[in-house]
């Protein structure tokens, strides 16, 4: 359908009835994706996106034949999914956001609605509850979850790594069991992301024990564990998936365990990175990422010891420390997400920057008709309708 849609004039993308009949030549399309996992991640914790805006993104990613939507549902600044057995997680832990503004959360009905909306567009939702670090929102919601029994205040800043679950306390595993049980029950897809990134407050032994225990909880609920690349130092089931975000971390240990890899190199596809020094939104710790940086690389060439057979696919995370509403999210995602979509779909030999930038230029009328707030990168000769 998306291939057929791309053959239609951009005028059909305007809301409302199509003015006149549209014809296309009779043709035969033979096409198939290179990678199975073609995704993006929305960080709805640092800033919350209401369900209607998440559905808007599902429309836009399915237009580009992406098929995975990873929702970063819990972090230090916000817990965004209702857990019935621990109601204060969303009520208190979801009450604010970076900068101290209003937060929000998805009821389980909202989440089920998003999952169904995505399924009808061939997009699989992959929920993430980040742990053992990035957990201040949970710790602030239940004093009993803290080793000292004292709940920290809600956090509205942008530091990372300062929080950690009390990994040697039994209550922590009752909490994890309940959260994973409830989330698994409303997630038809096979994957459950447990984060695992940026842990500064635990020893390696504590971290390893924790991840391996959480992996068995995920497995007991019939799901496959996904985690950021820090988990590759632990003993993983071959069905687990490791999301490589740090280009300098070798996937050798993970590949040796037979796990599959998603590549999200922060210097190529972290969509919260500024386009250039003039970009108002975004961060710059990983360097600026213009459209060409997001396009001119290949997952199979990232690491010498990463065979293409281990690469499940590619995913572009959009962290929202500085990204507040849907128009900000769209501005950071487009046009770079179109580059990532082509990396996920097309054979490497078919990807040539000078050719891609012209095809991208031709998307301007279509994206404008769809009302996408895309960044007019100076690298692209945008063909705006007069
Ligand atoms: N790294 C953190 C994110 C976010 C990001 C912002 C990962 C896996 C920096 N962890 O990327 O939570 O703060 O660019």
């Amino acid at each position: 359908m998306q291939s057929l849609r791309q053959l239609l004039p951009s005028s059909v993308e305007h809301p409302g009835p199509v003015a006149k009949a549209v014809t296309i030549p009779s043709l035969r399309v033979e096409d198939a994706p290179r990678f199975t996992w073609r995704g993006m991640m929305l960080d709805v914790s640092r800033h919350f996106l209401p369900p209607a805006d998440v559905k808007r993104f599902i429309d836009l990613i399915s237009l580009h034949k992406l098929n995975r939507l990873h929702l970063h549902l819990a972090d230090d600044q916000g817990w965004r999914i209702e857990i019935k057995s621990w109601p204060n997680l969303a009520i208190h832990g979801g009450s604010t956001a970076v900068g101290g503004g209003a937060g929000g959360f998805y009821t389980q009905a909202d989440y089920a609605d998003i999952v169904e909306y995505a399924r009808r567009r061939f997009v699989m939702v992959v929920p993430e509850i980040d742990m053992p670090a990035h957990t201040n929102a949970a710790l602030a919601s239940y004093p009993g979850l803290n080793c000292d029994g004292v709940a920290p205040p809600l956090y509205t800043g942008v530091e990372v790594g300062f929080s950690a679950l009390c990994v040697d306390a039994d209550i922590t595993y009752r909490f994890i069991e309940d959260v994973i049980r409830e989330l698994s029950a409303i997630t038809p897809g096979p994957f459950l992301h447990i984060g695992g990134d940026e842990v500064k407050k635990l020893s390696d032994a504590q971290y390893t024990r924790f991840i391996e225990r959480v992996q068995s909880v995920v497995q007991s609920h019939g799901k496959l564990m996904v985690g950021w690349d820090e988990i590759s130092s632990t003993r993983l089931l071959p069905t687990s998936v490791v999301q490589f975000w740090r280009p300098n971390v070798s996937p050798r240990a993970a590949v040796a365990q037979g796990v599959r890899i998603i590549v999200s190199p922060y210097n190529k596809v972290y969509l919260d990175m500024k386009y250039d020094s003039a970009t108002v939104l975004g961060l710059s710790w990983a360097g600026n990422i213009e459209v060409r940086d997001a396009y001119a690389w290949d997952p199979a060439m990232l690491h010498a010891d990463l065979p293409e057979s281990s690469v499940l696919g590619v995913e572009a995370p959009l962290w929202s420390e500085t990204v507040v509403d849907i128009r900000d999210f769209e501005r950071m995602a487009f046009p770079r997400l179109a580059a990532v979509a082509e990396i996920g779909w097309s054979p490497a030999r078919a990807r040539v920057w000078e050719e891609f930038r012209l095809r991208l230029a031709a998307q301007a009328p279509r994206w404008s008709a769809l009302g996408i707030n895309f960044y007019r990168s100076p690298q692209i000769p945008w063909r705006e309708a007069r």
Side-chain angles (χ1 to χ4, degrees):
M1 268 317 285
Q2 298 304 347
S3 298
L4 177 61
R5 189 174 170 187
Q6 290 166 1
L7 295 171
L8 300 177
S10 56
S11 56
V12 304
E13 300 298 350
H14 278 290
V18 178
K20 58 188 186 314
V22 172
T23 57
I24 57 170
S26 65
L27 42 76
R28 176 184 174 79
V29 176
E30 291 191 7
D31 199 358
R34 176 183 175 192
F35 292 111
T36 307
W37 188 296
R38 303 181 305 281
M40 87 158 304
M41 184 207 83
L42 289 174
D43 171 6
V44 295
S45 174
R46 277 52 180 269
H47 282 96
F48 180 63
L49 266 188
D53 293 337
V54 176
K55 292 178 183 175
R56 161 72 169 178
F57 250 91
I58 292 167
D59 289 340
L60 299 181
I61 66 178
S62 58
L63 172 67
H64 292 85
K65 302 182 186 176
L66 293 168
N67 64 355
R68 298 281 186 275
L69 175 62
H70 169 179
L71 288 178
H72 189 74
L73 292 167
D75 208 299
D76 290 317
Q77 298 89 343
W79 184 284
R80 304 298 181 205
I81 179 70
E82 173 196 12
I83 299 293
K84 297 183 189 300
S85 49
W86 296 70
N88 222 29
L89 290 170
I91 292 165
H92 184 63
S95 61
T96 184
V98 166
F105 64 87
Y106 308 115
T107 63
Q108 294 199 0
D110 291 331
Y111 180 80
D113 189 29
I114 288 167
V115 165
E116 176 57 14
Y117 191 88
R119 186 195 64 78
R120 286 203 304 270
R121 290 158 179 80
F122 303 94
V123 174
M124 179 193 292
V125 169
V126 178
E128 178 188 350
I129 301 293
D130 203 345
M131 54 177 113
H134 291 269
T135 47
N136 190 78
L139 295 166
S141 303
Y142 287 95
L145 281 178
N146 298 265
C147 287
D148 61 4
V150 177
L154 289 170
Y155 181 66
T156 60
V158 291
E159 293 305 313
V160 297
F162 61 87
S163 60
L165 291 174
C166 190
V167 295
D168 295 325
D170 289 345
I171 185 173
T172 299
Y173 300 94
R174 287 202 298 281
F175 161 74
I176 289 171
E177 165 62 30
D178 290 342
V179 168
I180 291 178
R181 181 186 71 253
E182 290 197 32
L183 197 52
S184 298
I186 54 179
T187 299
F191 299 106
L192 208 147
H193 201 307
I194 56 88
D197 62 311
E198 296 183 325
V199 184
K200 296 176 183 171
K201 295 292 174 61
L202 300 178
S203 69
D204 290 353
Q206 282 181 306
Y207 177 78
T208 298
R209 231 183 1 261
F210 177 82
I211 295 296
E212 290 172 4
R213 186 164 177 182
V214 171
Q215 180 174 239
S216 58
V217 174
V218 171
Q219 185 185 39
S220 74
H221 290 284
K223 299 299 179 185
L224 307 178
M225 182 179 78
V226 186
W228 299 104
D229 60 41
E230 286 88 336
I231 69 167
S232 51
S233 65
T234 70
R235 204 176 42 254
L236 299 171
L237 292 167
T239 53
S240 291
V241 175
V242 183
Q243 181 163 12
F244 272 80
W245 63 289
R246 298 177 295 175
N248 54 332
V249 173
S250 166
R252 186 176 316 133
V255 171
Q257 298 200 67
V259 302
R260 293 167 298 167
I261 308 288
I262 301 165
V263 293
S264 299
Y266 58 54
N267 58 340
K268 304 291 186 189
V269 298
Y270 264 36
L271 302 179
D272 61 318
M273 290 305 121
K274 293 177 183 293
Y275 288 93
D276 62 25
S277 54
T279 310
V280 174
L281 297 169
L283 301 174
S284 51
W285 63 268
N288 295 332
I289 299 178
E290 248 291 6
V291 185
R292 182 170 191 164
D293 303 312
Y295 183 78
W297 66 282
D298 192 85
M301 308 301 283
L302 265 187
H303 299 277
D305 40 18
L306 178 58
E308 176 151 349
S309 56
S310 293
V311 180
L312 202 48
V314 59
E315 179 181 296
L318 177 42
W319 301 104
S320 61
E321 280 90 342
T322 65
V323 176
V324 179
D325 62 20
I326 182 70
R327 294 188 62 73
D328 290 350
F329 278 82
E330 289 181 9
R331 185 160 183 82
M332 297 308 271
F334 293 96
R336 292 174 296 185
L337 193 60
V340 176
E342 182 151 308
I343 291 171
W345 186 276
S346 301
R349 68 180 181 285
R351 296 201 295 104
V352 177
W353 165 251
E354 282 308 329
E355 196 263 332
F356 172 74
R357 67 189 279 275
L358 299 179
R359 283 188 284 112
L360 190 57
Q363 294 307 304
R366 188 176 301 274
W367 287 0
S368 297
L370 286 165
I372 301 174
N373 178 37
F374 66 99
Y375 169 63
R376 269 85 172 161
S377 164
Q379 294 184 342
I380 310 298
W382 299 104
R383 282 174 31 203
E384 305 273 9
R386 230 69 47 212

